[in-house]
Amino acid sequence: MGKNKFYTPRKQWKSARINDQTYIDYYNRLKEFVINMFDWKNVPPTIDVRFLELTLAEQGFCLYFNDEFIGNLCLQAQIGGQLNVYRIPKYRRAYAVNGYQKTCDDTDSVIIYNNYLHTPSMLTVELYARRLYEIERTIEINVKAQKTPVAILTDESDRLSVKNLYAQYDGNEPFILPDRNFDLARIRCVKTDAPFIANELNMLKYDVWNEALAFCGIAQMNSKRERLVASEISSNTQSIEAQRAVMLNSRRDAAKQINAMFGTNIEVDFKENLIYKIEEEKESTGEGGEELWQNTQLSLEN
């Protein structure tokens, strides 16, 4: 019987599983950052802030309204119908997975948007997770190539035996020849000469990871370089502040509308425990007195 054309070797399944695990790991880590960026204060106890932020990240908006029996709620919603002069939908229908539904409009509810473009964050999270996954897996492959920098050529009759021996070698196990008559002369090795580029790839991953953190409004300024010019740190700080404002401003606008409509006193700000404090050592270059930060380190504020 011929080999099934849909047959996939077990090793390929293992590689695919590791690929998926690597991508999902980066995806979940970045998603956790996104939904933990903001601190909502004075929120009614019937509001689940975690669900609020999760909905904003995944859907781009959620609906704040009052239920006559439960109290204030913030749920997923369908929006549409006629628009006001600022192109905000007047029709809103809140819903939940348990079957709950409530129809609202612009007089008794407020749409909270994730940003001024009214778009979710998960597209960006997916892009960065994919980039990080690609780099991480390439690093692992490159490191593996240093251990086995050869291609093995053998007769078809010895294929299974050589494959089993290689599996033991690849698994860091000592191997024993299966047969005293096994002819090693029938095995040839061709060098692949894979260059070691894991260090460069790791630096690339570091840069992409910092870029992803910047999207989450998190400063990561402990550069691999030994010295950072003060202007570089200032520029990075301004970029981080601008990114925070992208999502913070839309939430503050919604909080103002909610407070005016429902008599609440809700405030929202960026979480303090995600703001990094620079522990710096300044020294003068002697050239115009420009200050440099040497061995810059970061620590979380308590």
Side-chain angles (χ1 to χ4, degrees):
M1 180 182 294
K3 182 179 291 187
N4 189 326
K5 65 179 180 179
F6 298 108
Y7 170 75
T8 302
R10 180 176 297 179
K11 194 167 186 179
Q12 291 186 26
W13 280 112
K14 180 180 179 181
S15 177
R17 185 173 69 253
I18 296 175
N19 289 342
D20 291 342
Q21 290 172 339
T22 304
Y23 171 80
I24 292 170
D25 178 64
Y26 278 118
Y27 175 87
N28 286 339
R29 289 161 67 183
L30 292 175
K31 188 173 183 179
E32 285 281 4
F33 280 133
V34 167
I35 65 177
N36 279 282
M37 290 172 61
F38 301 100
D39 184 19
W40 291 79
K41 302 175 182 176
N42 307 321
V43 176
T46 50
I47 300 295
D48 186 341
V49 172
R50 172 207 170 266
F51 184 77
L52 183 159
E53 285 294 341
L54 184 63
T55 304
L56 291 179
E58 294 179 341
Q59 189 171 336
F61 64 90
C62 57
L63 188 67
Y64 192 107
F65 63 98
N66 184 66
D67 181 273
E68 56 270 26
F69 300 106
I70 302 175
N72 287 185
L73 292 174
C74 190
L75 300 178
Q76 294 173 279
Q78 292 180 337
I79 57 179
Q82 186 178 3
L83 307 180
N84 67 14
V85 294
Y86 298 112
R87 296 190 295 189
I88 303 299
K90 292 184 177 181
Y91 173 82
R92 301 96 185 259
R93 184 169 65 86
Y95 65 90
V97 294
N98 64 354
Y100 176 92
Q101 294 188 32
K102 181 177 175 64
T103 300
C104 303
D105 57 34
D106 57 347
T107 65
D108 60 1
S109 63
V110 174
I111 301 176
I112 305 175
Y113 287 107
N114 186 49
N115 49 48
Y116 280 171
L117 289 178
H118 303 174
T119 57
S121 301
M122 296 320 298
L123 172 61
T124 304
V125 168
E126 290 172 5
L127 289 174
Y128 278 118
R130 182 186 60 80
R131 294 173 192 170
L132 290 164
Y133 139 75
E134 291 282 6
I135 299 171
E136 181 67 30
R137 291 295 287 139
T138 304
I139 291 174
E140 292 181 12
I141 293 170
N142 183 249
V143 172
K144 197 79 166 179
Q146 309 310 306
K147 176 182 176 182
T148 57
V150 293
I152 301 176
L153 305 178
T154 187
D155 294 336
E156 184 63 30
S157 59
D158 295 327
R159 179 184 178 89
L160 182 59
S161 296
V162 173
K163 186 175 180 180
N164 290 335
L165 291 175
Y166 182 82
Q168 290 178 280
Y169 172 71
D170 187 49
N172 300 316
E173 296 181 20
F175 57 84
I176 302 173
L177 294 179
D179 191 332
R180 69 176 61 186
N181 297 319
F182 188 79
D183 187 3
L184 290 175
R186 296 199 299 265
I187 301 175
R188 290 178 296 160
C189 296
V190 178
K191 285 191 173 183
T192 59
D193 294 325
F196 181 70
I197 58 173
N199 287 335
E200 290 79 2
L201 290 171
N202 199 51
M203 286 295 295
L204 177 61
K205 183 181 72 171
Y206 179 87
D207 290 338
V208 174
W209 178 250
N210 279 354
E211 189 177 326
L213 291 183
F215 169 73
C216 301
I218 303 174
Q220 185 74 6
M221 293 166 54
N222 54 331
S223 172
K224 293 290 185 180
R225 293 174 295 171
E226 292 183 356
R227 295 151 69 91
L228 291 175
V229 181
S231 59
E232 292 180 294
I233 293 180
S234 177
S235 175
N236 185 69
T237 302
Q238 292 173 5
S239 176
I240 295 298
E241 291 295 335
Q243 181 58 47
R244 291 172 182 171
V246 165
M247 291 187 278
L248 179 58
N249 288 343
S250 61
R251 286 162 172 75
R252 284 179 170 173
D253 289 348
K256 290 178 182 178
Q257 297 177 47
I258 292 169
N259 292 339
M261 183 175 293
F262 299 101
T264 53
N265 187 32
I266 296 175
E267 297 178 0
V268 59
D269 206 343
F270 196 82
K271 280 191 177 178
E272 290 297 326
N273 62 349
L274 292 181
I275 298 177
Y276 283 95
K277 177 178 63 179
I278 305 170
E279 298 175 353
E280 58 221 19
E281 294 180 7
K282 299 180 182 179
E283 69 174 8
S284 175
T285 63
E287 300 176 359
E290 184 177 28
E291 291 180 336
L292 300 178
W293 273 256
Q294 186 172 17
N295 298 326
T296 304
Q297 297 179 341
L298 297 174
S299 63
L300 286 173
E301 289 186 345
N302 295 323

